[in-house]
Amino acid sequence: MKILFVANYMWDIYIFRGGLLKALIADGHEVVAAAPDNGRIDMEKAIPGLKSVSITLNKRGINPVEDMKLTYDLYKLYKKEKPDIIFHYTIKPNIYGTIAARMAKKKSVAILTGLGYSFVKGGLISKVAIALYRFSLKFSKEIWVLNSDDKETLIENKIGNREKVFILPGEGTDCERFRPLSMERKDSKTIFLMVARAFFDKGFREYEEAARILRKKYGDKVEFQFLGALGGEAVSGITEEYMNKLQEEKVINYLGTVDYPENVIKEIDCLVLPSYREGISKVLMEGAAMERPIIATNVTGCKEIVDDGENGYLVNVRDSRDLAEKIEKFIHLSKEEREGMGKKGREKILKEFDEKIIIDIYRDKISKLIEGEKDGA
């Protein structure tokens, strides 16, 4: 059968679902990925047997004419490709792609990998998103979320019922790629790493403030690194100018972006993510899979991965002092205690979040949605 995946970025499809796409192709399915393509990766070369289609999509735009055009373009794509089922990710594909799939009489599944902090905290943007989701997602066969809190939020807002909203336990981690690797550095400092897009709602401010507290106390014995794309001029985004200032002050060592984060993670002692909310944090899963202890906020999408005191520590959201205290607690752990945390982390990922588990869920769902329903879209 033909399976179509639609998202905001082609690169995101690759890093979050590359293993899934490869597995479905190996199963004999015809797989198509549709998303804006900035040239960062040649999908058809990276995943042999895949067909990639570049589409035009303004992720943050709120122009209704633009969104109507997106709906029509996706409708034409679906009529041309004739997929048996379509998986939509991120807000615009979920909303306008689901409507287009209905128009084209194609089955679709809406996957909300995270509701986002703005959705949950309310306000005009949240109200608009809820209204659009409520209208469009009634046309999807199922709605998938990555945690129980998001499921309850959707049900409370009348966006699907308990039978329609399914919890996918994360998007999986490639535990063969993200495996324990030997640290090559020989210095005695303790290195912490935050991996995220550079936005304040990812907890960047708290990470910066904790770094300032501990750099003042421990000097060069500790280092705080940041890996990920800058937020630029976006609302709540960290600019290049601001990051350069932190580097000059030796508060944070900015590493830019890389295609192989495992080569960075293997050289650090602890992974930190003070995010305000996640779907299910992929980077925390990757770090834990590499036997690195993790420190994260006690919020949806992070708390599912951290067993407090076992494979890392949970901290209060928006609390830089609590974050600094937990980081300092880690600093004083022995080598054996750190290694024990790391091993427990990998055990948890293998048991609950291995990519193979997620791939099997997709296989089962695809079979039930296609083979079990012969009554059209």
Side-chain angles (χ1 to χ4, degrees), residues 57 101 128 257 288:
L57 185 156
V128 171
T257 59

Side-chain angles (χ1 to χ4, degrees), residues 10 29 77 82 101 122 128 148 154 167 182 186 200 221 244 259 265 304 314 316 323 331:
M10 196 67 78
H29 298 299
L77 175 65
K82 298 180 174 62
V128 171
S148 58
L154 292 186
I167 299 176
S182 298
K186 303 300 181 182
F200 287 119
K221 292 181 180 179
N244 287 341
D259 292 343
I265 294 172
E304 291 83 355
L314 288 171
N316 299 325
L323 177 61
I331 291 171

Side-chain angles (χ1 to χ4, degrees), residues 133-350:
Y133 273 140
R134 194 177 288 157
F135 171 75
S136 62
L137 298 192
K138 65 185 178 182
F139 301 126
S140 64
K141 283 297 177 184
E142 291 186 356
I143 304 168
W144 297 3
V145 293
L146 304 188
N147 58 71
S148 58
D149 288 351
D150 283 358
K151 177 173 181 174
E152 293 305 316
T153 299
L154 292 186
I155 293 169
E156 288 170 9
N157 285 282
K158 297 180 172 56
I159 306 171
N161 54 35
R162 293 197 179 276
E163 291 69 37
K164 188 170 184 175
V165 182
F166 169 74
I167 299 176
L168 179 73
E171 296 197 87
T173 302
D174 183 346
C175 292
E176 295 175 9
R177 174 183 173 187
F178 292 94
R179 65 189 188 279
L181 297 171
S182 298
M183 184 184 292
E184 295 179 10
R185 67 181 178 87
K186 303 300 181 182
D187 59 72
S188 60
K189 69 171 61 175
T190 303
I191 296 181
F192 298 89
L193 171 69
M194 179 177 173
V195 183
R197 287 191 174 120
F199 288 92
F200 287 119
D201 60 6
K202 289 293 184 180
F204 185 88
R205 178 73 74 192
E206 288 75 17
Y207 186 63
E208 174 198 336
E209 291 173 353
R212 288 185 183 279
I213 292 169
L214 295 167
R215 284 281 293 164
K216 184 176 181 180
K217 186 171 184 179
Y218 292 96
D220 290 339
K221 292 181 180 179
V222 295
E223 181 179 334
F224 293 86
Q225 301 176 348
F226 186 89
L227 177 67
L230 296 173
E233 301 303 321
V235 177
S236 83
I238 308 303
T239 63
E240 182 178 6
E241 180 183 12
Y242 191 83
M243 188 66 82
N244 287 341
K245 177 176 176 289
L246 295 179
Q247 286 223 102
E248 290 170 7
E249 296 175 2
K250 297 185 178 180
V251 176
I252 290 176
N253 181 13
Y254 179 52
L255 306 180
T257 59
V258 296
D259 292 343
Y260 299 97
E262 61 268 35
N263 293 333
V264 177
I265 294 172
K266 77 181 183 69
E267 297 300 324
I268 60 104
D269 296 285
C270 181
L271 196 66
V272 181
L273 184 64
S275 177
Y276 298 171
R277 187 182 179 94
E278 296 287 313
I280 285 286
S281 171
K282 193 170 183 69
V283 69
L284 288 182
M285 292 190 287
E286 292 169 350
M290 294 186 68
E291 294 190 354
R292 291 298 181 265
I294 51 182
I295 297 176
T297 35
N298 188 14
V299 298
T300 298
C302 294
K303 63 184 180 181
E304 291 83 355
I305 305 167
V306 183
D307 292 332
D308 192 33
E310 295 293 319
N311 66 333
Y313 297 119
L314 288 171
V315 303
N316 299 325
V317 66
R318 294 172 172 266
D319 190 338
S320 56
R321 188 155 295 278
D322 188 41
L323 177 61
E325 288 175 1
K326 295 297 169 57
I327 291 175
E328 186 169 26
K329 188 175 182 179
F330 178 84
I331 291 171
H332 293 298
L333 292 179
S334 67
K335 179 182 177 183
E336 292 73 24
E337 287 172 322
R338 294 180 186 184
E339 289 177 350
M341 274 189 165
K343 290 185 184 302
K344 288 179 181 178
R346 181 166 175 83
E347 289 171 4
K348 181 178 180 68
I349 299 303
L350 287 170

Side-chain angles (χ1 to χ4, degrees), residues 38-102:
N38 65 358
R40 184 171 180 180
I41 185 169
D42 184 334
M43 286 286 280
E44 294 182 359
K45 184 177 180 180
I47 305 178
L50 176 76
K51 177 180 180 180
S52 65
V53 178
S54 180
I55 62 174
T56 300
L57 185 156
N58 185 347
K59 179 182 176 182
R60 291 189 172 85
I62 53 174
N63 185 326
V65 175
E66 238 179 29
D67 293 338
M68 287 176 64
K69 184 179 184 304
L70 172 63
T71 305
Y72 181 62
D73 288 345
L74 290 175
Y75 164 76
K76 289 192 297 181
L77 175 65
Y78 301 163
K79 293 294 285 185
K80 178 183 177 181
E81 292 294 334
K82 298 180 174 62
D84 294 286
I85 189 166
I86 307 164
F87 289 98
H88 293 114
Y89 304 84
T90 63
I91 185 166
K92 287 204 173 183
N94 273 325
I95 292 171
Y96 303 110
T98 300
I99 294 171
R102 175 68 174 183

Side-chain angles (χ1 to χ4, degrees), residues 119-139:
F119 183 101
V120 176
K121 74 175 182 179
L124 179 60
I125 293 176
S126 176
K127 289 178 181 178
V128 171
I130 289 170
L132 289 171
Y133 273 140
R134 194 177 288 157
F135 171 75
S136 62
L137 298 192
K138 65 185 178 182
F139 301 126

